[in-house]
Amino acid sequence: MSGYSTGVNPLVLPGVYAPQEDTALLTGALSEESLPPHADVLDVGTGSGALALEAARRGLRVTAVDVSRRAVWAARLNARRAGLSVRILRGNLFDPVRGRTFDLVLANPPYVPAPDRGAPPRGRARAWDAGQDGRLVLDRICHEVPGMLRPGGVLLLVHSALSDPESTVSCLRERGLKAAVTQRRHIPFGPVLRERQNWLRARGLLASDDKKEELVVVRAERPL
């Protein structure tokens, strides 16, 4: 994961995930979605709020959620600085919005495979560490998101090819959504992957000559 730029410079507090290439890829996917005026959007795992603000700039009604207090503070500050209306809530994934449904759900969850340290990730690592297969949060999203979408509603989800996009697509299809990988991008290893590349190679998740990480966007739609 490396740098990100859309002409927006969100404030990022210490311990909060900074917008990077995965954010930019998901922003591009968002720009291609045709949404009705004032559509309801959920940005789950908002971090600094970069995706939520992109959606709000389109006049969409945006709710953003993050489990990190610092992320919630950062997102609220960034919405205020941008003069945009975004409802920002603290909580674990969909818990703060149970009972609501949305026209669009955006998700850039933790997805990097991580060695088992015998305890849940803490601090900044919560933004990327996702269990030994990288699917600790992805599987929860796949299981729960169909109930969060209105008929015709769309999920846009970004993650690494290291965390098995085929499983994401299959899981979403099993739950009645039309799902496919719609975008791919190769990027140089960022600090996290560089630090654990030997472990990833030992597990067979990286080939010996791999120098780049592949990011994917999975688009899933609830039939009308």
Side-chain angles (χ1 to χ4, degrees):
M1 292 176 283
S2 59
Y4 158 86
S5 175
T6 61
V8 179
N9 295 302
L11 175 68
V12 180
L13 299 180
V16 177
Y17 185 71
Q20 300 187 47
E21 291 283 0
D22 47 8
T23 315
L25 189 60
L26 199 53
T27 298
L30 168 62
S31 70
E32 296 177 6
E33 289 295 320
S34 177
L35 293 163
H38 308 300
D40 286 308
V41 177
L42 174 65
D43 179 22
V44 60
T46 194
S48 66
L51 285 164
L53 299 186
E54 290 290 333
R57 286 187 182 91
R58 293 180 54 177
L60 307 176
R61 294 184 299 203
V62 183
T63 301
V65 174
D66 205 289
V67 72
S68 163
R69 286 187 177 87
R70 289 189 179 188
V72 169
W73 295 338
R76 287 174 176 167
L77 284 170
N78 286 321
R80 182 174 297 179
R81 290 169 71 222
L84 296 169
S85 176
V86 179
R87 187 183 185 206
I88 302 165
L89 306 173
R90 180 175 178 262
N92 195 336
L93 287 183
F94 303 114
D95 287 350
V97 290
R98 297 290 179 193
R100 294 184 59 192
T101 56
F102 298 87
D103 300 293
L104 176 68
V105 173
L106 302 167
N108 182 4
Y111 55 69
V112 179
D116 185 3
R117 297 184 172 91
R122 298 176 60 84
R124 295 181 64 206
R126 288 190 301 181
W128 54 75
D129 280 359
Q132 293 201 50
D133 60 0
R135 299 200 58 83
L136 186 66
V137 181
L138 285 168
D139 285 337
R140 287 185 59 195
I141 291 174
C142 291
H143 281 80
E144 297 181 32
V145 77
M148 309 303 299
L149 294 173
R150 296 169 182 168
V154 170
L155 165 71
L156 293 175
L157 168 67
V158 65
H159 68 83
S160 173
L162 296 173
S163 43
D164 196 359
E166 292 77 12
S167 289
T168 299
V169 171
S170 295
C171 185
L172 291 166
R173 288 176 177 173
E174 288 169 2
R175 280 151 186 79
L177 303 184
K178 297 184 288 184
V181 173
T182 56
Q183 296 195 32
R184 298 178 183 269
R185 179 179 298 173
H186 288 85
I187 64 169
F189 291 164
V192 176
L193 286 194
R194 285 199 300 270
E195 182 271 331
R196 64 184 60 160
Q197 61 181 310
N198 290 338
W199 177 80
L200 291 166
R201 295 187 204 284
R203 292 201 64 222
L205 295 174
L206 282 177
S208 59
D209 58 347
D210 282 345
K211 302 297 182 184
K212 292 188 175 182
E213 177 187 18
E214 183 182 25
L215 300 176
V216 303
V217 171
V218 175
R219 184 185 188 275
E221 183 174 347
R222 181 179 171 184
L224 291 169

